[in-house]
Amino acid sequence: MKTAANTTSRNDPCWCGSGKKYKKCHLPADQKQVPASKEKTKPKGRNIILKTEEQIEGIRKSCQLTKDLLNMVEERIGEGVTTNEIDEWVHSETLANGALPAPLNYGRGQGRQRMPFPKSVCTSLNEVICHGIPNSRSLQHGDIVNVDVTCVLNGYFGDASRMFIIGDVPERTRELVDVTRECLNLGIDQVRPQNTLGDIGNAIQVHAEKHGFSVVRDFAGHGVGIEFHEAPQVLHYGQPGVGEALRENMIFTIEPMINMGGFECKVLGDGWTAVTVDGTLSAQWEHTLLVTENGVEVLTA
Ligand code: MF3
Ligand code: CO
Ligand code: CO
């Protein structure tokens, strides 16, 4: 895999457009970035599945149900609601629509002592980056929370998430949530045949860093549809023109996780909950996308 750190000279202008020399700008960070081929979460030995028309139709339906479930959450969520209640709503409405919640019992047999995910939805509150487990805590004025829904309908997966702001929050917190959504949309704008995964990651990284936020490195978007997590890994940082080229009928998610402070994260003792190391807030938005002949179809919109 080509990276800017091994293709750009130290004294060249930085790829981010800052006008600074590369060595004074993104070189140190690029050297820390693990090439995608070495990342531990990369699905090993699996190829990108180009979907057939029949599969696309099935995934489209599953994605539309995912969107409907998020709309249902959006109508009901508010101060005083517990994340367990959100889990119950998503669980029962998913089943009522003839589908299954993909997170429930996901990860069995993955890792040594890791328990399967115990709930039907991920609820990631404040400093939680992703994979938060619903519990009895109720949402409070000033919280921000991501609700991440994945359903399996007739064997096809759809995956999307949104942020919700509970009551009033400081201006900078609202900016984090808004900029993260803009990052997702700027990433989507890069989706068309012949553009690369690096074009997506770069658009996201440049926008987040322009606003003084950081991009989480340890989790990525992913191919989706026939399985929950397929190749390729869709990094939310990178350099233009680098990485895998996009092809018609690829289906993958873009799901940037953007932090108010540093990008470092750690996973709590439950084996799932990923939080910011410095305790600052984190936001995330996710859509499932289809690469079309001329561009993109947002399947979860
Ligand atoms: N929905 C998450 C994603 O976007 C994955 C959740 S895995 C779970 O990839 F087990 F935590 F549900
Ligand atoms: Co996803
Ligand atoms: Co998701």
Side-chain angles (χ1 to χ4, degrees):
M1 176 80 62
K2 282 194 291 181
T3 66
N6 60 34
T7 57
T8 312
S9 299
R10 298 169 52 78
N11 290 317
D12 284 351
C14 187
W15 51 261
C16 77
S18 65
K20 290 191 237 170
K21 286 186 176 169
Y22 183 45
K23 66 181 178 193
K24 294 270 180 208
C25 194
H26 272 86
L27 176 62
D30 286 353
Q31 284 172 334
K32 269 188 235 139
Q33 293 174 7
V34 190
S37 59
K38 295 247 173 65
E39 289 223 351
K40 52 184 183 243
T41 51
K42 179 171 173 156
K44 282 195 193 70
R46 286 194 289 157
N47 295 322
I48 295 172
I49 306 170
L50 295 180
K51 272 73 178 182
T52 65
E53 286 309 314
E54 184 186 341
Q55 290 168 335
I56 290 169
E57 200 37 49
I59 297 164
R60 195 179 269 125
K61 290 201 177 92
S62 182
C63 285
Q64 284 298 299
L65 176 57
T66 302
K67 177 203 71 179
D68 292 343
L69 292 165
L70 281 168
N71 285 344
M72 179 267 300
V73 170
E74 189 156 342
E75 277 167 26
R76 301 182 186 180
I77 201 167
E79 198 175 343
V81 165
T82 68
T83 49
N84 271 340
E85 287 176 84
I86 299 170
D87 179 63
E88 283 152 23
W89 303 336
V90 171
H91 183 87
S92 60
E93 281 301 308
T94 303
L95 296 186
N97 283 278
L100 293 170
L104 189 59
N105 293 319
Y106 179 72
R108 222 179 327 217
Q110 280 185 353
R112 260 163 302 165
Q113 279 142 2
R114 198 198 216 192
M115 65 164 171
F117 195 80
K119 298 283 183 173
S120 296
V121 66
C122 296
T123 52
S124 300
L125 204 59
N126 298 327
E127 76 284 0
V128 180
I129 294 170
C130 63
H131 302 167
I133 303 172
N135 61 24
S136 59
R137 183 190 183 290
S138 60
L139 298 175
Q140 302 300 323
H141 189 92
D143 283 339
I144 59 169
V145 62
N146 172 276
V147 178
D148 192 339
V149 172
T150 312
C151 63
V152 199
L153 181 64
N154 301 320
Y156 297 112
F157 290 76
D159 188 9
S161 78
R162 298 182 195 164
M163 292 301 294
F164 300 100
I165 295 176
I166 311 300
D168 299 315
V169 295
E171 187 49 38
R172 184 71 173 154
T173 303
R174 189 169 291 277
E175 193 181 349
L176 175 70
V177 172
D178 290 346
V179 166
T180 304
R181 187 178 195 171
E182 290 159 12
C183 284
L184 170 58
N185 289 331
L186 289 166
I188 293 171
D189 288 346
Q190 292 297 320
V191 179
R192 72 186 81 108
Q194 302 316 320
N195 267 13
T196 70
L197 290 173
D199 293 326
I200 298 173
N202 181 258
I204 292 168
Q205 181 178 12
V206 166
H207 191 63
E209 292 180 354
K210 190 174 82 190
H211 287 268
F213 300 129
S214 69
V215 178
V216 170
R217 310 295 205 248
D218 295 8
F219 297 93
H222 50 92
V224 65
I226 309 301
E227 292 176 58
F228 198 162
H229 294 106
E230 303 172 3
Q233 199 179 40
V234 181
L235 302 179
H236 302 113
Y237 58 90
Q239 295 81 47
V242 168
E244 191 92 43
L246 307 182
R247 282 168 283 161
E248 189 179 351
N249 295 347
M250 279 173 67
I251 294 183
F252 56 84
T253 71
I254 302 178
E255 48 183 298
M257 286 144 274
I258 307 296
N259 296 349
M260 186 96 86
F263 61 69
E264 295 81 6
C265 69
K266 64 178 182 194
V267 176
L268 300 185
D270 60 24
W272 286 102
T273 312
V275 300
T276 57
V277 168
D278 61 15
T280 60
L281 296 173
S282 185
Q284 179 179 31
W285 291 82
E286 177 177 25
H287 270 309
T288 297
L289 297 322
L290 165 69
V291 183
T292 62
E293 189 184 348
N294 298 310
V296 61
E297 179 180 336
V298 184
L299 297 175
T300 42

